Amino acid sequence: MSRKKKREEASVIEEFQAIGFNVGEEEYGLAISSVAEIITTPHITRVPKAPEYIKGVINLHGNVIPVFDIASCFKIGETKMNGNGRIVVVEVNEETVGIAAESVSNVTRLPVNSVKPPPPLVSGIAAEYLDGVARLPDRFLIFLNLEKVLASENVATEQ
Amino acid sequence: MTDSMGEIRRIFYEEVADLLDKVDMLLLDIEDSPDDEELQNQFMRAVHTIKGSAGTAGFNLFADVAHKIEDVADYLHTGKTAATTEFFDRLSHAIEVMQNSLQAIIAGKEEPVELEEVYNSFVEWLEEAGHIEADERKIGAGVDANQFSLGEYDLIRLRVMAKRGAKLHRVDVRIAADASPETAGVKVLTALRKAGDVVTTIPAENEMDAIKETFRLAVLFGGEQTAEEIKALLTDSDFLEVKVSAYVAEEKKEDPDKQQQELLDPIKSDKTVRMEMEVLDQLLRLVGELMINRSRYSQIAQEFREILKDAELAGELDEASEHLGYLTSQLQSGIMRARMVAVARLFRAMKRQVRNSSHLSARKIRLVTSGDKTELDKKLVDALEDLLVELVGAVAACAAESAGGEEVQIHTSAAQRGNQVFLSIRAAGAAPLDEEINKITAPLAEIGGRLEKESKSDSYAYHIALPITLAIIPVMMVETGDEIYAFPLEVVNETLKVTQAQISSVEGHPVTELRGRALSLLFLRQALNTPGELEKDSYSVVVVDYKNEPVGIVVDKLIGKREIVIKPLGSRFSGIEEVNGSAILGDGRVALILNARSLISDSQHLAV
């Protein structure tokens, strides 16, 4: 089910659960339903000749999946992995991928109507890649449209 | 119905599923070679067995359709009918309906009405063609009026009863016109079942409403009673007349050859076991993990040697792990063999596609196959079927549009070489547009396959290279910087160590000397842009063949020979030619499998 639909449903209850993850200066939000799992960063194997925004591949329960660097996707820097780093595993377009995160916040309940349509450009990211932004008292969450961001056409491998 | 019916359904499915596939394939072969008598015999035997199994299991519609197919095939055999397109279309359709019906049956449903439609359409067709008497009745009027149809199970039951000393009688009951025929029928059977065994009936038990047409019921009854005693059991105003006669087991006009075949087939299937694909998948996964686990022992042995400096313990561990490796290999081979199926079934699907294209266009297009017996993992075959049908469809479409009037041939072949299977499709004339073909490149890459196009002046070919299975291959593991890579062992000629001093430069390219000749070198670190820059005193070199010349790939360290399970990287990485998949190492890390040829041809660091 798309996030939008889930949100529509949740709007009856008015709230949904989300996690936030940090990359560079920004905090990105993901509805909990979109997240398959969150793991501590295993060894990331670099893939030579792969695009910049693919940090490499990792072993997830015996399957080899790519790890994305969101910051690199949008050319706004690079995700720095340290002790707090995590990989947020999502399933998008029938593909399991990992998103590199410098840190991950706890699950929060958010009012659905706190997620507003994004302005044309948010922190260097064009609106078409965003599902919305949530302005909360203490933070500002950017909700990515993962299907678009990770879609093969956008991020096709070099030939 | 007793509980054994569930068992009978299952046995029926197991026997008939394979036979239907076989029959489907044979039909295509017969269409290609209509004069081949042996093919026709095989076809009829298979259909005959299907008929028998269906009858025994109580799927009479199924049996009837099989019967009609047998008849029709026989007409071809005896020359009463010609091998026209209509002939094959009808048979092909009937087989398809039977396959769908089989699925319905195994899902617990009743025989679909489509079977009846097919049967009736056959009757009509044969009537029109003058092959049968106009009054041969369609379904609903009862089939084969007077003989009991006995399958293998029935015969076995009869033999057992005879051994027991039971007497067999045929009980014919005529039902009063004013009675409800079905109820009367049930009364007969209930009464008889209280007294002994009902082997079979005419009409069959699940077709009791056919009694409405004939007002007759015949029962093959086994028990201790005499004819008079049986007659005495059946007193009811509904029964107009009851005739009881001793039954002499008279098998129908069976061909001794056909009978032999029928007896053999069930025996053959006793030697095989059907297994869920999932079980094999699970086993293969476990073997893969065993292999990964085993390589841990090698690593640990290495650490004993280097860190603890205990060569003896290391040696013992190594020996034990080698033996484990040997056992695991055997296990792996066994399981992979179990999963292998012949590509013939792929060719069958392709043939069907070509046949359709041929019918749709005006050209006669034929698919000629070779290497049918080449084997591939079943998972791969399943994944390939759609892709290959699409590919051959595009080729056939182009062939259809080509000039000329004679038959167009498309050649497809399959061959195994080492760890790979090569599938080729060849045709003359103009090739399909690249966009059409590109649609299958990505899904193909996902299963580890690669498509290459070969263009000649007046013909072209597509070559697909596939791993034989989701495979386990031996590799040479190497380390450069902090990164671990694997080269498939089949491309590695030898390995050697070189010191910095032994490397010289020719026109800016590194070379060293190997047995008196110059060996071009490629530093892996440079080819892959490995981070970090470390000049070492000595390196290891993996020597591979490139265009018949040896080339040395320079790495920091050789880790050693290993066996790894190939994990495909997915279509996202299919554009990177230098990387051919990945493997999970003993410590959980992912190592990439490199394509030496691509590395060398890409690099500018060579003196070649």
Side-chain angles (χ1 to χ4, degrees), chain B residues 336-351:
Chain B
M336 308 231 281
R337 241 195 319 271
R339 289 167 57 112
M340 302 289 262
V341 296
V343 293
R345 58 181 66 192
L346 279 177
F347 288 165
R348 168 172 44 111
M350 291 164 78
K351 259 191 184 171

PDB file of all heavy atoms in Angstrom, chain B residues 336-351:
ATOM      1  N   MET B 336      21.994 -30.242  -6.806  1.00  0.00           N
ATOM      2  CA  MET B 336      21.878 -29.523  -8.061  1.00  0.00           C
ATOM      3  C   MET B 336      21.399 -30.437  -9.162  1.00  0.00           C
ATOM      4  O   MET B 336      20.624 -30.051 -10.021  1.00  0.00           O
ATOM      5  CB  MET B 336      23.216 -28.887  -8.423  1.00  0.00           C
ATOM      6  CG  MET B 336      23.746 -28.073  -7.271  1.00  0.00           C
ATOM      7  SD  MET B 336      24.231 -26.414  -7.701  1.00  0.00           S
ATOM      8  CE  MET B 336      25.795 -26.756  -8.425  1.00  0.00           C
ATOM      9  N   ARG B 337      21.860 -31.683  -9.116  1.00  0.00           N
ATOM     10  CA  ARG B 337      21.395 -32.646 -10.118  1.00  0.00           C
ATOM     11  C   ARG B 337      19.906 -32.845 -10.001  1.00  0.00           C
ATOM     12  O   ARG B 337      19.202 -32.961 -10.997  1.00  0.00           O
ATOM     13  CB  ARG B 337      22.112 -33.991  -9.937  1.00  0.00           C
ATOM     14  CG  ARG B 337      22.926 -34.385 -11.144  1.00  0.00           C
ATOM     15  CD  ARG B 337      23.313 -35.825 -11.118  1.00  0.00           C
ATOM     16  NE  ARG B 337      23.714 -36.322  -9.827  1.00  0.00           N
ATOM     17  CZ  ARG B 337      24.956 -36.291  -9.378  1.00  0.00           C
ATOM     18  NH1 ARG B 337      25.905 -35.784 -10.106  1.00  0.00           N
ATOM     19  NH2 ARG B 337      25.235 -36.774  -8.185  1.00  0.00           N
ATOM     20  N   ALA B 338      19.420 -32.842  -8.777  1.00  0.00           N
ATOM     21  CA  ALA B 338      17.988 -33.057  -8.572  1.00  0.00           C
ATOM     22  C   ALA B 338      17.177 -31.901  -9.164  1.00  0.00           C
ATOM     23  O   ALA B 338      16.029 -32.063  -9.534  1.00  0.00           O
ATOM     24  CB  ALA B 338      17.689 -33.193  -7.084  1.00  0.00           C
ATOM     25  N   ARG B 339      17.791 -30.751  -9.218  1.00  0.00           N
ATOM     26  CA  ARG B 339      17.046 -29.599  -9.707  1.00  0.00           C
ATOM     27  C   ARG B 339      17.153 -29.414 -11.210  1.00  0.00           C
ATOM     28  O   ARG B 339      16.538 -28.515 -11.760  1.00  0.00           O
ATOM     29  CB  ARG B 339      17.580 -28.332  -9.030  1.00  0.00           C
ATOM     30  CG  ARG B 339      17.228 -28.205  -7.578  1.00  0.00           C
ATOM     31  CD  ARG B 339      18.051 -27.129  -6.934  1.00  0.00           C
ATOM     32  NE  ARG B 339      17.878 -25.863  -7.615  1.00  0.00           N
ATOM     33  CZ  ARG B 339      17.270 -24.822  -7.073  1.00  0.00           C
ATOM     34  NH1 ARG B 339      16.755 -24.920  -5.874  1.00  0.00           N
ATOM     35  NH2 ARG B 339      17.184 -23.699  -7.732  1.00  0.00           N
ATOM     36  N   MET B 340      17.971 -30.215 -11.832  1.00  0.00           N
ATOM     37  CA  MET B 340      18.201 -29.989 -13.257  1.00  0.00           C
ATOM     38  C   MET B 340      17.081 -30.563 -14.096  1.00  0.00           C
ATOM     39  O   MET B 340      16.637 -31.680 -13.880  1.00  0.00           O
ATOM     40  CB  MET B 340      19.510 -30.671 -13.682  1.00  0.00           C
ATOM     41  CG  MET B 340      20.693 -30.193 -12.908  1.00  0.00           C
ATOM     42  SD  MET B 340      21.131 -28.529 -13.350  1.00  0.00           S
ATOM     43  CE  MET B 340      22.435 -28.863 -14.478  1.00  0.00           C
ATOM     44  N   VAL B 341      16.663 -29.764 -15.051  1.00  0.00           N
ATOM     45  CA  VAL B 341      15.681 -30.262 -16.010  1.00  0.00           C
ATOM     46  C   VAL B 341      16.182 -29.921 -17.407  1.00  0.00           C
ATOM     47  O   VAL B 341      16.955 -28.982 -17.579  1.00  0.00           O
ATOM     48  CB  VAL B 341      14.290 -29.621 -15.793  1.00  0.00           C
ATOM     49  CG1 VAL B 341      13.728 -30.010 -14.459  1.00  0.00           C
ATOM     50  CG2 VAL B 341      14.367 -28.123 -15.920  1.00  0.00           C
ATOM     51  N   ALA B 342      15.717 -30.660 -18.370  1.00  0.00           N
ATOM     52  CA  ALA B 342      16.182 -30.429 -19.741  1.00  0.00           C
ATOM     53  C   ALA B 342      15.557 -29.156 -20.300  1.00  0.00           C
ATOM     54  O   ALA B 342      14.433 -28.795 -19.963  1.00  0.00           O
ATOM     55  CB  ALA B 342      15.809 -31.624 -20.615  1.00  0.00           C
ATOM     56  N   VAL B 343      16.325 -28.492 -21.154  1.00  0.00           N
ATOM     57  CA  VAL B 343      15.792 -27.260 -21.753  1.00  0.00           C
ATOM     58  C   VAL B 343      14.684 -27.557 -22.753  1.00  0.00           C
ATOM     59  O   VAL B 343      14.042 -26.636 -23.253  1.00  0.00           O
ATOM     60  CB  VAL B 343      16.887 -26.432 -22.472  1.00  0.00           C
ATOM     61  CG1 VAL B 343      17.863 -25.893 -21.480  1.00  0.00           C
ATOM     62  CG2 VAL B 343      17.547 -27.237 -23.543  1.00  0.00           C
ATOM     63  N   ALA B 344      14.484 -28.847 -23.029  1.00  0.00           N
ATOM     64  CA  ALA B 344      13.446 -29.203 -23.996  1.00  0.00           C
ATOM     65  C   ALA B 344      12.125 -28.512 -23.691  1.00  0.00           C
ATOM     66  O   ALA B 344      11.391 -28.117 -24.595  1.00  0.00           O
ATOM     67  CB  ALA B 344      13.253 -30.713 -24.035  1.00  0.00           C
ATOM     68  N   ARG B 345      11.825 -28.338 -22.416  1.00  0.00           N
ATOM     69  CA  ARG B 345      10.531 -27.714 -22.128  1.00  0.00           C
ATOM     70  C   ARG B 345      10.523 -26.237 -22.522  1.00  0.00           C
ATOM     71  O   ARG B 345       9.480 -25.680 -22.871  1.00  0.00           O
ATOM     72  CB  ARG B 345      10.149 -27.894 -20.661  1.00  0.00           C
ATOM     73  CG  ARG B 345      11.125 -27.342 -19.672  1.00  0.00           C
ATOM     74  CD  ARG B 345      10.648 -27.609 -18.257  1.00  0.00           C
ATOM     75  NE  ARG B 345      10.641 -29.032 -17.943  1.00  0.00           N
ATOM     76  CZ  ARG B 345      10.055 -29.547 -16.871  1.00  0.00           C
ATOM     77  NH1 ARG B 345       9.399 -28.774 -16.053  1.00  0.00           N
ATOM     78  NH2 ARG B 345      10.107 -30.827 -16.631  1.00  0.00           N
ATOM     79  N   LEU B 346      11.709 -25.618 -22.479  1.00  0.00           N
ATOM     80  CA  LEU B 346      11.787 -24.243 -22.960  1.00  0.00           C
ATOM     81  C   LEU B 346      11.533 -24.218 -24.462  1.00  0.00           C
ATOM     82  O   LEU B 346      10.813 -23.363 -24.979  1.00  0.00           O
ATOM     83  CB  LEU B 346      13.180 -23.669 -22.707  1.00  0.00           C
ATOM     84  CG  LEU B 346      13.469 -23.152 -21.310  1.00  0.00           C
ATOM     85  CD1 LEU B 346      14.910 -22.706 -21.244  1.00  0.00           C
ATOM     86  CD2 LEU B 346      12.537 -22.024 -20.964  1.00  0.00           C
ATOM     87  N   PHE B 347      12.165 -25.181 -25.132  1.00  0.00           N
ATOM     88  CA  PHE B 347      12.013 -25.247 -26.586  1.00  0.00           C
ATOM     89  C   PHE B 347      10.564 -25.489 -26.962  1.00  0.00           C
ATOM     90  O   PHE B 347      10.068 -24.991 -27.975  1.00  0.00           O
ATOM     91  CB  PHE B 347      12.902 -26.357 -27.157  1.00  0.00           C
ATOM     92  CG  PHE B 347      14.367 -26.020 -27.122  1.00  0.00           C
ATOM     93  CD1 PHE B 347      15.317 -27.020 -27.313  1.00  0.00           C
ATOM     94  CD2 PHE B 347      14.807 -24.730 -26.915  1.00  0.00           C
ATOM     95  CE1 PHE B 347      16.670 -26.721 -27.297  1.00  0.00           C
ATOM     96  CE2 PHE B 347      16.152 -24.419 -26.890  1.00  0.00           C
ATOM     97  CZ  PHE B 347      17.088 -25.428 -27.081  1.00  0.00           C
ATOM     98  N   ARG B 348       9.887 -26.269 -26.119  1.00  0.00           N
ATOM     99  CA  ARG B 348       8.485 -26.547 -26.406  1.00  0.00           C
ATOM    100  C   ARG B 348       7.684 -25.256 -26.398  1.00  0.00           C
ATOM    101  O   ARG B 348       6.891 -24.984 -27.281  1.00  0.00           O
ATOM    102  CB  ARG B 348       7.951 -27.534 -25.371  1.00  0.00           C
ATOM    103  CG  ARG B 348       6.456 -27.647 -25.436  1.00  0.00           C
ATOM    104  CD  ARG B 348       5.900 -28.743 -24.560  1.00  0.00           C
ATOM    105  NE  ARG B 348       6.466 -28.810 -23.244  1.00  0.00           N
ATOM    106  CZ  ARG B 348       5.806 -28.501 -22.128  1.00  0.00           C
ATOM    107  NH1 ARG B 348       4.585 -28.071 -22.186  1.00  0.00           N
ATOM    108  NH2 ARG B 348       6.395 -28.622 -20.970  1.00  0.00           N
ATOM    109  N   ALA B 349       7.916 -24.429 -25.357  1.00  0.00           N
ATOM    110  CA  ALA B 349       7.188 -23.163 -25.276  1.00  0.00           C
ATOM    111  C   ALA B 349       7.540 -22.272 -26.459  1.00  0.00           C
ATOM    112  O   ALA B 349       6.682 -21.591 -27.028  1.00  0.00           O
ATOM    113  CB  ALA B 349       7.508 -22.456 -23.966  1.00  0.00           C
ATOM    114  N   MET B 350       8.803 -22.293 -26.845  1.00  0.00           N
ATOM    115  CA  MET B 350       9.226 -21.479 -27.969  1.00  0.00           C
ATOM    116  C   MET B 350       8.595 -21.977 -29.267  1.00  0.00           C
ATOM    117  O   MET B 350       8.175 -21.187 -30.110  1.00  0.00           O
ATOM    118  CB  MET B 350      10.758 -21.498 -28.088  1.00  0.00           C
ATOM    119  CG  MET B 350      11.449 -20.756 -26.957  1.00  0.00           C
ATOM    120  SD  MET B 350      13.204 -21.165 -26.839  1.00  0.00           S
ATOM    121  CE  MET B 350      13.864 -20.194 -28.174  1.00  0.00           C
ATOM    122  N   LYS B 351       8.538 -23.295 -29.387  1.00  0.00           N
ATOM    123  CA  LYS B 351       7.932 -23.861 -30.593  1.00  0.00           C
ATOM    124  C   LYS B 351       6.503 -23.409 -30.731  1.00  0.00           C
ATOM    125  O   LYS B 351       6.010 -23.080 -31.803  1.00  0.00           O
ATOM    126  CB  LYS B 351       7.975 -25.398 -30.519  1.00  0.00           C
ATOM    127  CG  LYS B 351       9.070 -26.009 -31.317  1.00  0.00           C
ATOM    128  CD  LYS B 351       8.885 -27.518 -31.426  1.00  0.00           C
ATOM    129  CE  LYS B 351      10.072 -28.103 -32.157  1.00  0.00           C
ATOM    130  NZ  LYS B 351      10.116 -29.545 -32.135  1.00  0.00           N
TER     131      LYS B 351
END
